[in-house]
Amino acid sequence: VVDGVTVALHNRLRLLSQGGHEVLLLCPDYEPVAALYPQWREYLGEIFTGVRVVRLPSEPFMGVAFERNLSHRARKPLQQALADFEPALIHVDEPDRIFLGLLKAPGVAYARAHGIPCVGFYHTNFIDYIEDYLAEAVPLLNSQGVGRLLRKPVVAIAQWASMLFIRPVFHAYDLVLVSCEATRLRLEELRVRNLHQGQFLGVEVAAFQEVTRQADFFEQVYGLADIAPKLTLTFVGRLTPDKGWYFTLQALADWVGDADNADWLDQVVVIVAGEGAMRSLIESTLDDLGLSACFLGRIVPEAVPALLVNSDIYITTSEKETLGLTVLEALCAGIPAIAPRAGGVVTHMQDGYNGRLYAPQSSPQSSQSFGQALSELIADAPKRRQMGERGAQDAAPYRWETAVQNLLKTWQTLIDA
């Protein structure tokens, strides 16, 4: 799967292997969706020296077939794999997700029985995603009138009930690691106690520095003609409600409807890298708006540096990122980003300095603020270049090497204790 969690895992495993560590990675089985992930076998067994990946029985997560989670049948093989490996420490990515699949925290149970530490890593704001998926499941909440009035209290009750269920899971771990202050503050609001903040995520800085911009990039790599003279507005990520796509489409409609932007419409092209259930809606809406758009589908992480370096503006409208790795990658690529003033992206974005932050969706001026940011960056090429240069400097310290060293130090401290 290509998402922030798996990209982080792969880089972490690569560097742990280089450091001579022994790692056992237990993950969901992706064979049931092999048609979507034809290379799944390449990520099993000893994928790096000293690193072994073992698949466990899986099932769809939150009803989404291509998102897999551990099923109840994973309990016994998971316990056996831990017993055979005899770890010095257990690290669990997305502990709330695993608990929802198994209704147990097997890593914690094993750690307590054997006197070793067990840490969790909070990657994804599942509690906040309830707003998106509940609205999808109950169409009334997406409607106007009564539905609109009901949405906020219904979502708040669902989130409160979920935290009553999940908060004790977090507290079972020795530490729950978070990657930035915004995420730590959000979890503190949810009364999670055992948090430890640090730079535990990063980007492959060297991969971005090795790529140079080329005039015919999109034609040569993706077979897309007539892109070169246009400004590229690039999106990277899942085409699902939690990534802010409903807002994106409305904000772009408002921007297109503003007569002051008429001259820009033929000069920009929207590039979308990603897949998801909303693809057909996004395609048809952009077409109806008269915006030129190209859909690349899922692309491998190795293709991201070249894509972003050859783009002009990166856009995300997701307000629920725990850090926002794609924004960090855009800054590393030397292009400005447009993002909401919400979630983890505010960690490394400064409005007007290395990109533009627009008012979040809770503000009635959100769509207008987004449109102003977009028009400003489209109109001012020197400003885009200046912001891009600043962004590349700001992203340079976020190396995976540093992130993994910070993780190792945290693990070692717990082991010593």
Side-chain angles (χ1 to χ4, degrees), residues 125 182 234-235 241-245 247-248 251 314-324 326-328 336-352 354-363 365-367 369-371 373-374 377:
N125 286 320
T234 300
F235 296 78
D242 54 286
K243 293 301 181 181
W245 275 104
F247 171 81
T248 302
Y314 179 73
I315 300 176
T316 180
T317 58
S318 173
E319 297 190 356
K320 302 175 175 68
E321 301 301 314
T322 53
L323 183 64
T326 58
V327 171
L328 196 53
I338 296 175
R341 190 180 283 105
V345 299
V346 300
T347 303
H348 37 262
M349 276 194 66
Q350 300 176 57
D351 186 37
N354 56 13
R356 285 301 315 273
L357 293 171
Y358 64 87
Q361 295 176 40
S362 57
S363 166
Q365 304 301 318
S366 185
S367 183
S369 177
F370 171 89
L374 180 57
L377 291 185

Side-chain angles (χ1 to χ4, degrees), residues 270-285:
V270 177
I271 303 292
V272 180
E275 276 293 351
M278 291 186 67
R279 175 166 175 164
S280 60
L281 173 64
I282 297 166
E283 285 182 322
S284 61
T285 303

Side-chain angles (χ1 to χ4, degrees), residues 213 215-219 224-232 312:
R213 194 176 175 99
D216 59 349
F217 169 78
F218 285 98
E219 183 171 5
L224 302 174
D226 302 323
I227 300 291
K230 297 185 177 183
L231 279 171
T232 51
D312 295 299

Side-chain angles (χ1 to χ4, degrees), residues 84-105:
D84 294 342
F85 186 65
E86 298 182 349
L89 174 140
I90 294 176
H91 174 108
V92 178
D93 287 288
E94 300 188 317
D96 43 351
R97 176 171 177 155
I98 291 178
F99 183 81
L100 289 172
L102 301 177
L103 296 180
K104 289 181 179 295

Side-chain angles (χ1 to χ4, degrees), residues 252-259:
L252 287 175
D254 293 342
W255 182 77
V256 168
D258 187 338

